[in-house]
Amino acid sequence: MSKLRVLTVCTGNVCRSPAAAVILRRSLELAGLADQVEVESGGTSWDSDGRPMDERTVLALEHAGYVKPFVHTARVIHQSEMSTWDLVLPMTKEHAEAMRRKVAQIPEGEPRPEVYLWRQFDPAAPANAREEDLGVPDPWYEGQKAFDRTVLHMEKALPSLVLYIRGLLRERGRREA
């Protein structure tokens, strides 16, 4: 069975989306699914292309118990790669809209990823919340505590997200059998 491919998305790909990729990879590892799922991250803006993960994000991940090294180089998501993803997890409504525009441009007959906001998997998020209310706040203009809070808040979505990914893998297994 081919690997399920998951993409986390934020603006510059130096804070939220690479942190999301790190914490999701770890959760999948703990669930015994790491060998079945590939997790990457990307950004919607060229501003940080080629840069490493922001040092405040690295520190926030360490504070939350994740172990370095966090291998990462910021990159922009290209239209040409959209059909290669199975699940796209943007951090905000604006990121989701950008990804949905790219998905809409995928030629007919090619695979299309599902696009869900990261916080749609957060059990603390209201079930009837609008997308604009489900964004993962950008800690960029705040201090280290904001980065620490961001990682801790993103972790809340992991149990539901891993369960959802497990379901996607089961569904894929049935289709490929």
Side-chain angles (χ1 to χ4, degrees):
M1 180 166 68
S2 60
K3 283 191 174 191
L4 185 80
R5 299 190 75 228
V6 179
L7 178 68
T8 61
V9 180
C10 69
T11 305
N13 190 221
V14 292
C15 295
R16 292 169 288 178
S17 60
V22 166
I23 65 177
L24 180 54
R25 281 187 206 113
R26 179 69 177 134
S27 288
L28 292 167
E29 185 180 305
L30 292 171
L33 301 174
D35 61 334
Q36 299 174 59
V37 184
E38 176 185 348
V39 180
E40 296 295 331
S41 66
T44 59
S45 168
W46 294 92
D47 293 347
S48 300
D49 201 37
R51 291 187 181 174
M53 192 182 306
D54 186 277
E55 62 188 40
R56 297 166 295 179
T57 301
V58 170
L59 194 54
L61 288 166
E62 288 179 310
H63 288 166
Y66 297 89
V67 180
K68 287 195 307 189
F70 308 123
V71 178
H72 176 74
T73 303
R75 68 182 196 85
V76 175
I77 302 158
H78 296 278
Q79 176 63 44
S80 61
E81 70 182 277
M82 287 308 296
S83 65
T84 69
W85 299 105
D86 297 295
L87 178 61
V88 177
L89 299 167
M91 297 297 124
T92 68
K93 175 187 174 198
E94 293 75 25
H95 301 135
E97 289 170 345
M99 293 300 99
R100 288 184 187 120
R101 283 191 299 274
K102 289 182 183 298
V103 169
Q105 294 176 36
I106 295 174
E108 192 69 35
E110 286 190 37
R112 294 172 182 258
E114 297 179 7
V115 178
Y116 293 107
L117 285 169
W118 180 271
R119 284 208 53 234
Q120 283 181 273
F121 294 94
D122 182 344
N128 60 350
R130 299 173 310 167
E131 281 195 340
E132 51 267 20
D133 298 326
L134 291 174
V136 174
D138 187 354
W140 183 260
Y141 297 102
E142 298 182 47
Q144 184 61 50
K145 287 184 184 200
F147 283 79
D148 293 344
R149 272 192 313 273
T150 297
V151 168
L152 294 175
H153 281 96
M154 285 194 302
E155 287 181 321
K156 292 177 182 177
L158 292 171
S160 297
L161 183 52
V162 169
L163 188 63
Y164 185 76
I165 289 171
R166 191 180 297 277
L168 290 176
L169 289 167
R170 246 191 320 267
E171 182 181 311
R172 175 178 278 189
R174 276 187 247 129
R175 278 196 322 261
E176 292 180 0

